[in-house]
Amino acid sequence: MSLKGYGLLIDYEFCSGCHSCEVACKNERNIPLGKWGIKVETIGPWKAEGDRYEFNHIPCPTSLCNLCEERIAKGKKPSCVHHCLCQVMDYGPIDELAKKAAEKGSKVVMFLP
Amino acid sequence: MRQEWKWEEDGYEVIRSCAWSAPGDHPVGCGIKLYVKDGKLEKVEGDEEHPITQGRLCPRCLALKEYVYHPDRIIYPMKRDPKDRGNNDKWERITWDEAWETIFEKIRYFTDKYGPETIMEFTGTGRLACMYNNLLAYEAIGTPNCCYAYSGVSCWGPRNSVCAYVLGAGYPEIDYAFKYEDRYDHPGWPLPEYVVIWGKAPLESNADGLFGHSVVDMMKRGTKLISVDPRVNWLASRAEFHLQLRPGTDAAMALGWLNVIIEEDLYDHEFVDAWTYGFEQLAERVKEYPVEKVADITWVPAEKIRAAARAFAKAPAASIAWGVSADQNPNAPQISHAILALMAITNRIDAPGGNVLGGPPPLNPTGRDGETAMFSQVGEVMPPEIWQKRLAANDLPGYQEIQNYIQPDYTLEYLEREEPYKMRMGWIQSSNFLSPTCSAQPERWHDAVMKFDFNVGTDTFMNPTIQALADMFLPIGTFAEINDFAITHYGMCATFYGSINKAIDVGETVSDLEIALKIGNELHPELFPWDTPEAYFDAKLKNPAVKDQITFADLQNKGVLLPTNEYYKYKSGQIRGDGKPGFNTPTGRIELYSLLFQKFGEDPLPYYIEPEYSAVANPEIASKYPLILTTGARTFVSFHSEHRQIKTLREVVPDPLLEMHPDTAKEYGVTDGAWVYIENQWGKAKQRVKVTEGIMPGVVHAMHGWWFPEEEPSAPHLYGVWKSNVNNMIPSKHMGKLGFGSPFRSAQVTLYLATD
């Protein structure tokens, strides 16, 4: 099946930076050390305004991500989405994800790997 | 959940299991599916039907296959001549028959010639060894000496003991709707408005079986956090109130909250009148901790303290998750006492959305609460004259009342002096006390245990402790290789539990329980009517005192059991052994003024102690070692000293990191990524600088549990175990009056650039 028009939606307000997506992806795609199909990038912590700190983890898919097409074909979720400890990752057609992003309203990012 | 634990899928045999030990972790028993082909584990997947974890897995479980088949894994028994201790080249593979024959012969020899007390068991944390260490020591071997070599037993020991003294129940867990299959959507379950995360990192640690990411589940649904932590960890960055306190000042902070809540009359009068003892005395005591004074002590602004305390007290539902930081402090009992008092006077104990009490422990329903022995009834199986010979038996009566483990700081001194007898044999069970989680001044432990005549070590990999000290190695199976049991809080607050199901064989590995049963069947058959783990579980799980009786086979098919657990159990007589309403304390009430503390010579009310070497308490030492050192924060990719050889995990955190504020780095002329030494009057450790605004200027945080499996295994190097070992700087026996607590979170150090 073609996964064109599908993407990953990530609510990074609630991503704890646990690295489960990285390891789940490496298992699924057999990716060696030093390379990633998705990688958690971290901003902060640093003082933003007043008492508030900027501290965000954002998992970024790489060109090694194929949205787990084999799993999708079997009716499963992509491995990163399935294992995400914070349940902040979603997978689906872009228009559906865009709707969810708008509902969330802030701190959300969509990737079309 | 599906009512079977084994099925075929896509040409694989799938074994459903609850993940726990080995490798170590806290016993959540996360739902996992193990995919096996031709007897080999091919892949793992989170079990989406597990009511608590819902398919989610952490990186450590996701790396299970790499752990199981790692080339360094040891999967056959080995021996080595005691004169060759520390020499990695001298290990020699042996059969299990030879191993058992030697072990039985040694235990019999030392028991007959010197007495069973000259055999000593060491146990580690977070492994199934925790469930069976008492069974192995007191019943199978017959020694009264079982040791968790943690200074001040300061992991869970103080919290649990204080719960037993003043609450008369086990550790109260935050209510994250774990009682219900439909979880957070359960009709009538109140989402807590506030959860207080106090000195705890539940996301990384899943402490004692609290599934940490349930906190995130609740945050998404609207729960707000109050974080009490010296570091800006991720939860703190999302908290409505982050009280970034000076390390070691938790007792003052808790007393400050009590001051606000009592002075402003925000407490629950009805609950206080009906179910607590000593409120007037507590109210008098907290007058000594006005908020401005607490602000001076803790470095947190007074208004912020007031606002957080008010928010917690006024919330319709709120809970406190308090962690190991409360233990790793000589002030430990008072911190936990004050925090329990906060829960009590605001009526959070066993209230919906509050802090829930466990029912009778399913594996030991008649056992004493707060005791770490889940299975073993020491008093019933051990002759009193032997029990009385345990090390430090006559020291610290308060400690002895509640803990089965021998008190480690006293024990170390007795071992060093070889008093009142020389220790002959050591059994190092899933413990790595030279690269600790665990012991303070680990070199002293090394030297003390080196004097034993014969030492056995059991683990999955060689570790520095066993390499240095043992004469025999017994290989332990991962949870994929054994049948066992995962239960939260090791049974003391069993929020849910499930079976660990064997999927594969790897070499000749066995489980901790199989070892205990084998020795017990041989040496004390009268105490061991069970010859298989399954028979043992059936005998325990079918105990008539347990509400939810089940056989092991049925539990396997069921998957996860959410035990019957009503709220407000103290009202209906489900907490006390005699079935009367109330709590299992001398007064039957939650003791804000503790009669047991008083009996043991401790102040019956909570109080604050300044960290011993702080600039306030000891300006002279602090001028030499001006930085406050805190240790022990966890990462997602290791369990204390475990997982250092698992490359997929190690690449996430490759080096031991020392966090410091940019101002501190500037002051000491070091930059991000530099290797530095931190040092104090007891020792030093080499770590790598991580500059971050997530920690206050003048405070540094050092990682614990570091050794380097890729380096030279043999002594004296021992995988570099001494090099980055932060516990070199933590003195032993700096604890509170009752024998609890240690200064892992509030030492003083200086730092300088490493030039080697």
Side-chain angles (χ1 to χ4, degrees):
Chain A
M1 69 184 277
S2 165
L3 295 177
K4 200 167 162 51
Y6 283 70
L8 284 177
L9 187 77
I10 295 163
D11 173 0
Y12 66 88
E13 179 180 1
F14 293 112
C15 169
S16 67
C18 74
H19 302 275
S20 282
C21 55
E22 293 178 0
V23 182
C25 178
K26 279 175 179 253
N27 285 348
E28 189 68 28
R29 304 274 293 135
N30 199 19
I31 297 170
L33 292 173
K35 297 177 185 177
W36 290 265
I38 190 165
K39 189 166 191 305
V40 177
E41 296 297 338
T42 297
I43 299 168
W46 41 260
K47 218 167 222 182
E49 284 172 297
D51 257 6
R52 305 304 301 180
Y53 280 80
E54 186 74 13
F55 193 6
N56 291 312
H57 303 290
I58 305 180
C60 305
T62 74
S63 61
L64 299 180
C65 168
N66 68 355
L67 287 173
C68 283
E69 55 190 17
E70 282 179 30
R71 291 175 60 98
I72 302 295
K74 287 179 191 159
K76 293 181 170 181
K77 294 175 186 168
S79 193
C80 58
V81 175
H82 180 102
H83 290 105
C84 174
L85 282 175
C86 293
Q87 295 179 327
V88 293
M89 305 180 78
D90 208 343
Y91 156 86
I94 295 167
D95 53 341
E96 279 179 27
L97 295 184
K99 220 179 279 173
K100 287 180 183 171
E103 277 165 26
K104 173 72 180 25
S106 66
K107 287 201 164 184
V108 60
V109 59
M110 180 157 50
F111 287 102
L112 313 177
Chain B
M1 291 182 87
R2 99 197 248 166
Q3 295 297 301
E4 58 182 346
W5 60 277
K6 210 186 235 192
W7 61 87
E8 297 286 324
E9 189 182 312
D10 277 350
Y12 294 99
E13 188 185 20
V14 181
I15 286 89
R16 181 186 67 192
S17 193
C18 290
W20 184 39
S21 179
D25 196 353
H26 287 274
V28 174
C30 300
I32 194 167
K33 291 182 283 186
L34 305 167
Y35 286 73
V36 175
K37 203 178 257 181
D38 301 326
K40 251 198 114 181
L41 177 67
E42 294 288 338
K43 58 177 183 175
V44 302
E45 175 114 350
D47 179 9
E48 59 275 32
E49 290 188 344
H50 190 287
I52 308 296
T53 55
Q54 302 165 342
R56 298 174 269 186
L57 285 179
C58 84
R60 303 184 299 274
C61 258
L62 288 165
L64 182 69
K65 188 180 157 189
E66 188 177 336
Y67 187 103
V68 167
Y69 296 116
H70 195 287
D72 292 351
R73 183 124 188 252
I74 299 174
I75 54 175
Y76 301 102
M78 304 193 297
K79 70 173 180 184
R80 182 173 64 183
D81 192 311
K83 73 176 165 40
D84 292 320
R85 280 182 190 168
N87 188 338
N88 186 51
D89 300 328
K90 297 290 184 181
W91 287 107
E92 181 190 334
R93 180 176 163 184
I94 55 172
T95 63
W96 271 107
D97 285 345
E98 182 183 344
W100 289 129
E101 205 177 309
T102 308
I103 287 163
F104 298 149
E105 186 248 306
K106 292 283 186 192
I107 294 174
R108 286 194 170 110
Y109 172 77
F110 292 125
T111 301
D112 294 346
K113 185 148 179 161
Y114 304 108
E117 66 277 11
T118 63
I119 302 170
M120 178 168 167
E121 183 186 324
F122 290 92
T123 186
T125 189
R127 289 276 194 93
L128 273 160
C130 298
M131 300 294 283
Y132 307 116
N133 53 33
N134 282 206
L135 182 77
L136 176 63
Y138 309 135
E139 300 185 35
I141 296 175
T143 174
N145 285 316
C146 183
C147 183
Y148 179 22
Y150 206 150
S151 182
V153 283
S154 48
C155 178
W156 207 48
R159 276 175 293 162
N160 233 346
S161 300
V162 173
C163 287
Y165 294 142
V166 307
L167 182 62
Y171 180 95
E173 186 57 279
I174 61 167
D175 183 2
Y176 52 100
F178 46 71
K179 299 180 184 191
Y180 314 114
E181 293 278 354
D182 52 352
R183 305 294 311 283
Y184 309 107
D185 298 326
H186 188 80
W189 180 79
L191 181 78
E193 188 183 354
Y194 284 96
V195 173
V196 183
I197 308 285
W198 194 312
K200 190 170 184 125
L203 305 185
E204 295 88 345
S205 72
N206 298 308
D208 309 310
L210 160 63
F211 177 56
H213 279 79
S214 61
V215 174
V216 180
D217 295 347
M218 293 193 288
M219 286 163 70
K220 286 176 171 173
R221 286 164 173 79
T223 292
K224 291 173 279 190
L225 300 186
I226 299 172
S227 166
V228 184
D229 202 301
R231 296 162 72 238
V232 186
N233 59 27
W234 184 83
L235 287 175
S237 77
R238 268 124 180 97
E240 182 167 292
F241 302 98
H242 177 204
L243 310 186
Q244 194 174 11
L245 79 175
R246 175 166 64 103
T249 62
D250 304 68
M253 179 62 78
L255 286 157
W257 283 36
L258 286 166
N259 177 294
V260 173
I261 292 167
I262 294 173
E263 297 278 310
E264 299 185 10
D265 196 7
L266 303 175
Y267 60 94
D268 186 318
H269 289 248
E270 205 178 312
F271 184 90
V272 165
D273 292 344
W275 302 106
T276 70
Y277 174 80
F279 179 77
E280 293 308 320
Q281 292 96 319
L282 178 71
E284 218 28 62
R285 170 60 56 89
V286 303
K287 284 184 186 157
E288 295 170 29
Y289 296 89
V291 180
E292 273 68 24
K293 179 177 166 185
V294 170
D296 281 347
I297 294 171
T298 61
W299 298 353
V300 178
E303 261 328 291
K304 213 168 177 176
I305 298 171
R306 282 197 186 91
R310 286 171 190 148
F312 168 73
K314 288 178 180 173
S319 60
I320 305 178
W322 85 114
V324 71
S325 307
D327 299 331
Q328 298 187 328
N329 187 324
N331 211 174
Q334 291 73 35
I335 299 171
S336 286
H337 192 187
I339 288 175
L340 287 169
L342 281 167
M343 289 176 204
I345 68 170
T346 56
N347 193 5
R348 309 301 184 194
I349 299 285
D350 223 12
N355 283 79
V356 175
L357 301 175
L363 299 182
N364 185 12
T366 55
R368 292 185 300 178
D369 275 323
E371 151 182 297
T372 42
M374 270 65 65
F375 290 125
S376 183
Q377 295 294 291
V378 180
E380 290 168 22
V381 298
M382 179 144 282
E385 65 279 12
I386 304 287
W387 183 235
Q388 197 45 41
K389 285 185 177 164
R390 72 195 187 280
L391 292 178
N394 299 314
D395 304 302
L396 302 163
Y399 179 95
Q400 304 302 342
E401 183 92 358
I402 208 72
Q403 287 282 334
N404 283 348
Y405 295 138
I406 47 178
Q407 207 286 339
D409 302 87
Y410 279 80
T411 291
L412 178 57
E413 294 185 349
Y414 285 121
L415 293 178
E416 287 174 331
R417 297 200 303 263
E418 301 192 322
E419 287 174 356
Y421 44 84
K422 177 177 160 58
M423 200 57 71
R424 300 285 170 176
M425 176 171 167
W427 190 287
I428 302 165
Q429 188 195 33
S430 290
S431 180
N432 185 8
F433 55 80
L434 301 190
S435 176
T437 307
C438 194
S439 56
Q441 296 181 297
E443 291 189 55
R444 286 177 61 191
W445 283 97
H446 171 273
D447 295 348
V449 181
M450 198 57 129
K451 294 193 286 188
F452 297 11
D453 297 347
F454 182 71
N455 292 320
V456 178
T458 70
D459 212 325
T460 47
F461 287 82
M462 183 59 69
N463 70 43
T465 305
I466 296 175
Q467 183 68 268
L469 299 169
D471 313 308
M472 184 176 282
F473 183 104
L474 305 180
I476 296 297
T478 69
F479 68 81
E481 297 151 49
I482 62 173
N483 276 337
D484 219 291
F485 196 78
I487 183 163
T488 64
H489 287 268
Y490 308 92
M492 295 312 303
C493 181
T495 50
F496 47 87
Y497 46 100
S499 63
I500 296 170
N501 300 322
K502 182 179 163 96
I504 51 169
D505 283 302
V506 177
E508 296 176 359
T509 63
V510 297
S511 72
D512 290 290
L513 179 57
E514 284 172 312
I515 288 178
L517 294 180
K518 180 83 181 175
I519 296 175
N521 284 325
E522 173 75 18
L523 299 177
H524 292 99
E526 72 286 3
L527 297 173
F528 284 78
W530 336 276
D531 51 7
T532 64
E534 295 75 15
Y536 177 82
F537 296 134
D538 284 348
K540 297 290 177 178
L541 294 169
K542 293 289 279 182
N543 189 313
V546 175
K547 271 187 184 166
D548 307 276
Q549 294 179 45
I550 193 165
T551 63
F552 185 71
D554 287 345
L555 184 63
Q556 286 183 299
N557 287 325
K558 190 173 176 60
V560 177
L561 197 149
L562 308 181
T564 313
N565 186 350
E566 296 154 30
Y567 292 110
Y568 303 118
K569 288 180 285 300
Y570 58 87
K571 291 185 184 175
S572 51
Q574 296 181 63
I575 299 295
R576 293 174 59 85
D578 60 11
K580 289 185 181 157
F583 297 87
N584 203 14
T585 58
T587 57
R589 291 159 173 256
I590 300 175
E591 297 194 353
L592 308 173
Y593 180 98
S594 167
L595 297 182
L596 288 174
F597 279 176
Q598 191 172 45
K599 177 179 150 195
F600 303 138
E602 178 59 283
D603 189 331
L605 292 164
Y607 58 91
Y608 169 66
I609 321 173
E610 179 65 26
E612 190 179 354
Y613 296 104
S614 75
V616 178
N618 196 330
E620 200 181 326
I621 291 281
S623 68
K624 212 168 159 195
Y625 304 111
L627 295 168
I628 299 173
L629 169 70
T630 181
T631 70
R634 301 278 299 279
T635 77
F636 285 109
V637 288
S638 58
F639 183 72
H640 300 300
S641 69
E642 266 199 83
H643 295 102
R644 301 291 180 214
Q645 63 282 85
I646 308 302
K647 292 196 166 98
T648 304
L649 302 177
R650 182 78 179 274
E651 80 172 337
V652 179
V653 184
D655 302 309
L657 298 177
L658 180 73
E659 286 182 0
M660 68 184 71
H661 190 273
D663 293 352
T664 309
K666 201 172 160 194
E667 190 186 339
Y668 285 82
V670 298
T671 50
D672 195 70
W675 285 95
V676 296
Y677 279 102
I678 42 174
E679 184 170 329
N680 69 8
Q681 62 269 53
W682 289 283
K684 61 180 182 176
K686 187 179 180 178
Q687 299 217 347
R688 201 159 189 199
V689 173
K690 180 184 172 188
V691 176
T692 171
E693 286 188 20
I695 194 161
M696 289 172 281
V699 179
V700 294
H701 173 270
M703 285 184 179
H704 69 293
W706 272 88
W707 58 292
F708 305 88
E710 67 277 14
E711 294 187 10
E712 170 60 42
S714 293
H717 193 74
L718 293 171
Y719 310 97
V721 70
W722 308 119
K723 177 166 66 175
S724 300
N725 199 325
V726 70
N727 293 22
N728 292 341
M729 286 168 290
I730 307 299
S732 188
K733 213 180 178 188
H734 285 237
M735 54 197 189
K737 280 184 201 164
L738 295 175
F740 293 115
S742 55
F744 286 90
R745 307 276 170 151
S746 49
Q748 297 285 138
V749 294
T750 186
L751 83 87
Y752 53 91
L753 208 58
T755 50
D756 53 353

